[in-house]
Amino acid sequence: MAAPQTTLGADLEPPTTDLITLTRHILSRQRALGEEASGDLTMLLIAIQVTSKYIASNVRKARLINLVGLAGASNVQGEDQKKLDVLSNDIMVNALSASGKCSVMVSEEVDEAIIVGGSKGTYAVVFDPLDGSSNIDAGVNVGTIFGIYKVEDPSKASVADVLKPGKNLVAAGYTMYGSSCNLVLSTGQGVDGFTLDEALGEFILTHPDIKIPSRGKIYSFNEGNSLHFYEPTNKYLESIKYPANGKPYSARYIGSMVADVHRTLLYGGIFGYPDDKKSKDGKLRMLYEAFPMSFLTEQAGGVATTGTQRILDVVPKNIHGRCPVFLGSKDDVEDLKKFYDAYTGEKRW
């Protein structure tokens, strides 16, 4: 008797046999640059990839043991440092230093810029080693956010190499640690998403050329602060909750920037953390939160604004400076900007 034939359904396709790993993707980007590519950025991105795998492993362990307890200190933001925050920071600093390609680092967890002594690295890296760590006990997605600048003169590397607008970034990305581990990256040639295959130990390209929809149906704001919001923000929120067409937007707010922005990139809509009467400059830090996420948003075809100006044009005055953030689908963000354009009150940004 002949063996039964197994056929795929008409709507199913066989899995690809051409796996594109993150390393392969980075190398292909280097080849595309030709003689302009020294390989330094490639080595740096590979080092960040390794740190992502290691931090992902420690996040999983932290949910099983008491690694998320307080470390007994606070960071420069005045926030209680968790043990895993400190561990993730040390992993990032050590890996980037060892790469030999990084001469300046700025971390959310460290008060001052880190100058790598003796390094001739041609890049500076700004990062939040573990964004949203206060949510780990609840099983909420957390992540690492990073941005990369070119250092003008490695022999004279200083904090000045990172006190530049976000439009000067040469690469940016984030790694999200949750039910899966996702790394989203842009080197200025679009946005690509990778998922960690734990069996292979490799990040595999699963979301090539991410494009944010021109309009979404989701808004992501912490409306618990709406009492303190300025008029333009509240009027915009009212317009999408009580629209004339009778089709209100859905609210989705996780409280972990990596998770909220990841959803916004894939599904569209708008993410916002505005300045308000309580937090005059907003809460999100420019260098390692607002700038990298705005860079990714624009590379995916979206818009990122403070309400009155493009976020990537803002010049930071210090390494932990903050700014308002609205980012997402082009049409949604442009709608919000109209409320700011019409506002006649004080405009700090």
Side-chain angles (χ1 to χ4, degrees), residues 162-240:
V162 296
L163 290 179
K164 299 176 180 178
K167 64 185 177 183
N168 287 21
L169 287 168
V170 297
Y174 60 82
T175 307
M176 183 174 68
Y177 315 111
S179 57
S180 61
C181 180
N182 305 93
L183 192 153
V184 175
L185 173 69
S186 175
T187 56
Q189 304 168 69
V191 181
D192 295 288
F194 303 80
T195 302
L196 180 62
D197 185 318
E198 295 183 11
L200 296 175
E202 293 280 359
F203 280 100
I204 305 298
L205 180 63
T206 52
H207 296 77
D209 195 22
I210 295 172
K211 295 296 183 186
I212 187 169
S214 60
R215 183 176 292 280
K217 300 178 181 178
I218 298 171
Y219 72 97
S220 185
F221 287 66
N222 181 0
E223 289 191 272
N225 291 327
S226 59
L227 173 66
H228 307 292
F229 287 169
Y230 289 117
E231 182 181 300
T233 304
N234 277 325
K235 282 193 171 182
Y236 171 71
L237 291 174
E238 183 178 349
S239 75
I240 58 176

Side-chain angles (χ1 to χ4, degrees), residues 114-327:
I114 302 168
I115 309 300
V116 183
S119 173
K120 295 183 179 179
T122 54
Y123 291 98
V125 183
V126 294
F127 57 90
D128 182 346
L130 200 63
D131 174 70
S133 59
S134 62
N135 292 313
I136 287 179
D137 283 341
V140 173
N141 288 5
V142 295
T144 299
I145 308 172
F146 62 89
I148 302 175
Y149 287 96
K150 185 79 171 175
V151 171
E152 292 184 10
D153 184 350
S155 66
K156 299 178 181 178
S158 72
V159 68
D161 288 302
V162 296
L163 290 179
K164 299 176 180 178
K167 64 185 177 183
N168 287 21
L169 287 168
V170 297
Y174 60 82
T175 307
M176 183 174 68
Y177 315 111
S179 57
S180 61
C181 180
N182 305 93
L183 192 153
V184 175
L185 173 69
S186 175
T187 56
Q189 304 168 69
V191 181
D192 295 288
F194 303 80
T195 302
L196 180 62
D197 185 318
E198 295 183 11
L200 296 175
E202 293 280 359
F203 280 100
I204 305 298
L205 180 63
T206 52
H207 296 77
D209 195 22
I210 295 172
K211 295 296 183 186
I212 187 169
S214 60
R215 183 176 292 280
K217 300 178 181 178
I218 298 171
Y219 72 97
S220 185
F221 287 66
N222 181 0
E223 289 191 272
N225 291 327
S226 59
L227 173 66
H228 307 292
F229 287 169
Y230 289 117
E231 182 181 300
T233 304
N234 277 325
K235 282 193 171 182
Y236 171 71
L237 291 174
E238 183 178 349
S239 75
I240 58 176
K241 290 191 293 183
Y242 306 99
N245 64 8
K247 298 178 180 179
Y249 278 36
S250 296
R252 298 285 186 275
Y253 184 73
I254 298 170
S256 171
M257 187 184 191
V258 168
D260 282 314
V261 171
H262 187 70
R263 182 197 56 248
T264 303
L265 283 175
L266 296 182
Y267 299 159
I270 184 169
F271 167 84
Y273 210 116
D275 56 332
D276 58 34
K277 298 163 190 173
K278 186 173 65 172
S279 303
K280 299 294 185 181
D281 293 322
K283 292 292 291 293
L284 298 176
R285 278 60 61 113
M286 292 184 217
L287 283 184
Y288 41 80
E289 291 175 325
F291 286 176
M293 292 307 203
S294 297
F295 184 86
L296 290 167
T297 299
E298 288 197 3
Q299 285 292 316
V303 174
T305 179
T306 65
T308 59
Q309 64 176 311
R310 180 190 181 210
I311 289 176
L312 295 183
D313 287 337
V314 177
V315 180
K317 296 179 181 178
N318 62 76
I319 62 174
H320 297 295
R322 306 168 189 255
C323 73
V325 173
F326 301 98
L327 59 80

